[in-house]
Amino acid sequence: MLEIKNLKAYIDTSDGVVKAVDGVSFSIKPGETIGIVGESGSGKSVLAHSIMQLNPKPPTFYPEGEILFNGKNLLQLKEKELRKIRGNEIAMIYQDPMSSLNPVFKIGDQLMEAILTHHSMPKSKARQRAIELLTDVGISDAEKRFNSYPHQFSGGMRQRVLIAIALACNPKILIADEPTTALDVTIQAQILELMKSIQEKYGTAIIIISHDLGVVAQMAEKVLVMYSGRIVEKGNVEDIFYHTSMPYTWSLLRSLPRIDSESRTRLLNIEGQPPNLIHPPSGCNFHPRCPFATDQCKTVDPQLSKRSADHSAACILSEEEFNEAKKRIEKGEQERRMEHV
């Protein structure tokens, strides 16, 4: 349904060219869910906006790559053609519903606008469809709440309204950019469950972008790990969470709190800062922060290589070398903890 080939999204600034997305490739099938994870600044949102063609041009430009949707390269379409796709066939949910919804228009009017933009129908029918959507996303007494303003809804309800707007035209692909960041854990669980039920009902493909690995583990079948504008590891959920072969992914997973952990140890952060995307380091972009780094990492720029049928990682270490290095690091940390005790 959607295939991205060697996409490069660069941003021209007064300080130089920011390589926000630098050679990303992946595809998604109907009804599939792909999770994209990484630290802030790794290129996740620029990638999402590139798919929707919402990055301002200029300063954003695309020196290489293709974004193929049903055989059409979105990078080559004119604005008029893109408007027929945005919101209609590919829709997006943003992380902040208060800034995404217009505070001076009623919820129902904003829903109807999404429907009438792409479909020619009487307003009465559009109103009926909008009320059905509000009901589908769990807004009780939808006919009455149709005339409410955004400030009259809670954060969770506003996020549900955004999902309803995104689903207004039954899109084939739904991009959710940090859809639960501003919500408490209870509402977060409800929103994720809602997205799953909608996917089952409409057969929608979902791309969920998050820095929360727990959310991605719950939602996705496949995971892409991004660092400094690149995909550094990709595979199914089990590959990424239980058989990672990339030091960056391993470091991210170690920073997760675990309630099932037997040893009550401090969370481990990733030392240092993400690289400057105008002047990235030579060799592997992660090597200045990597606990596994060798001298070779300073000169060799690793590309994604297969670890198994559906699992790839960008690291010069083999799986055996990675596992051995991991054991040495974990053993050293354990010994230091024992000395401290």
Side-chain angles (χ1 to χ4, degrees):
M1 182 182 294
L2 178 72
E3 186 175 10
I4 294 176
K5 296 182 177 181
N6 193 35
L7 181 68
K8 295 185 178 182
Y10 292 175
I11 302 169
D12 198 3
T13 73
S14 57
D15 295 324
V17 174
V18 177
K19 297 179 179 180
V21 175
D22 194 18
V24 166
S25 300
F26 72 94
S27 60
I28 187 167
K29 300 173 184 176
E32 188 175 41
T33 301
I34 287 182
I36 303 178
V37 301
E39 293 171 285
S40 296
S42 60
K44 306 185 300 298
S45 293
V46 174
L47 175 59
H49 291 157
S50 296
I51 296 170
M52 295 287 287
Q53 283 297 281
L54 290 173
N55 290 319
K57 294 186 287 188
T60 308
F61 63 99
Y62 300 90
E64 287 185 43
E66 297 176 301
I67 304 173
L68 300 173
F69 174 66
N70 288 339
K72 295 180 180 178
N73 186 358
L74 301 185
L75 295 176
Q76 295 177 348
L77 297 186
K78 295 180 179 178
E79 187 62 28
K80 186 176 180 181
E81 296 172 292
L82 288 169
R83 286 198 194 109
K84 294 177 183 178
I85 294 174
R86 289 193 203 110
N88 188 31
E89 297 187 85
I90 305 176
M92 194 162 179
I93 305 169
Y94 296 91
Q95 63 178 293
D96 185 359
M98 201 57 199
S99 62
S100 299
L101 293 169
N102 193 320
V104 301
F105 288 104
K106 295 176 181 177
I107 291 296
D109 292 333
Q110 296 185 60
L111 255 172
M112 284 176 60
E113 180 186 18
I115 297 165
L116 293 171
T117 297
H118 295 287
H119 298 281
S120 178
M121 64 173 69
K123 284 190 175 182
S124 59
K125 193 172 179 181
R127 176 188 170 88
Q128 182 182 352
R129 169 68 176 151
I131 291 171
E132 287 173 3
L133 283 164
L134 289 174
T135 303
D136 283 350
V137 298
I139 302 293
S140 57
D141 201 3
E143 193 160 357
K144 182 180 177 183
R145 302 311 297 267
F146 180 92
N147 292 311
S148 299
Y149 288 93
H151 73 270
Q152 295 174 299
F153 280 21
S154 67
M157 289 174 70
R158 287 194 293 265
Q159 192 65 286
R160 289 170 186 268
V161 170
L162 279 187
I163 293 173
I165 292 173
L167 293 172
C169 300
N170 291 336
K172 294 172 182 173
I173 299 174
L174 186 63
I175 302 172
D177 188 5
E178 304 278 8
T180 59
T181 297
L183 307 175
D184 63 55
V185 288
T186 305
I187 303 301
Q188 174 178 290
Q190 293 174 9
I191 294 297
L192 295 177
E193 194 59 40
L194 171 63
M195 289 174 65
K196 281 185 178 180
S197 65
I198 283 166
Q199 184 175 41
E200 291 172 6
K201 183 175 180 178
Y202 295 104
T204 312
I206 296 177
I207 299 173
I208 185 163
I209 296 169
S210 182
H211 62 266
D212 189 331
L213 293 169
V215 167
V216 170
Q218 184 178 341
M219 287 289 295
E221 293 131 33
K222 294 180 180 178
V223 182
L224 310 177
V225 182
M226 287 192 72
Y227 183 75
S228 67
R230 299 180 177 185
I231 293 174
V232 295
E233 189 167 13
K234 62 181 179 179
N236 59 42
V237 169
E238 187 167 337
D239 288 332
I240 299 300
F241 284 82
Y242 298 103
H243 306 290
T244 179
S245 296
M246 171 63 193
Y248 176 63
T249 310
W250 178 72
S251 300
L252 282 179
L253 291 169
R254 277 158 44 98
S255 67
L256 277 177
R258 295 184 57 126
I259 59 173
D260 61 341
S261 177
E262 292 180 4
S263 58
R264 297 182 180 180
T265 58
R266 293 175 58 189
L267 294 180
L268 298 164
N269 65 319
I270 305 175
E271 297 292 337
Q273 297 294 325
N276 182 334
L277 296 182
I278 297 175
H279 303 292
S282 60
C284 174
N285 283 358
F286 186 57
H287 87 258
R289 310 171 69 193
C290 180
F292 299 75
T294 65
D295 288 339
Q296 192 179 4
C297 298
K298 298 175 183 178
T299 56
V300 177
D301 184 8
Q303 304 301 308
L304 283 171
S305 59
K306 283 192 174 293
R307 297 301 198 251
S308 63
D310 298 315
H311 183 200
S312 301
C315 184
I316 62 171
L317 296 178
S318 68
E319 195 165 354
E320 293 76 17
E321 290 171 330
F322 174 81
N323 288 331
E324 283 300 316
K326 187 172 65 172
K327 287 176 185 176
R328 287 197 301 271
I329 290 172
E330 290 172 345
K331 183 180 178 181
E333 288 173 346
Q334 187 176 9
E335 287 173 354
R336 285 192 294 273
R337 283 198 298 270
M338 293 301 294
E339 287 174 4
H340 179 71
V341 171

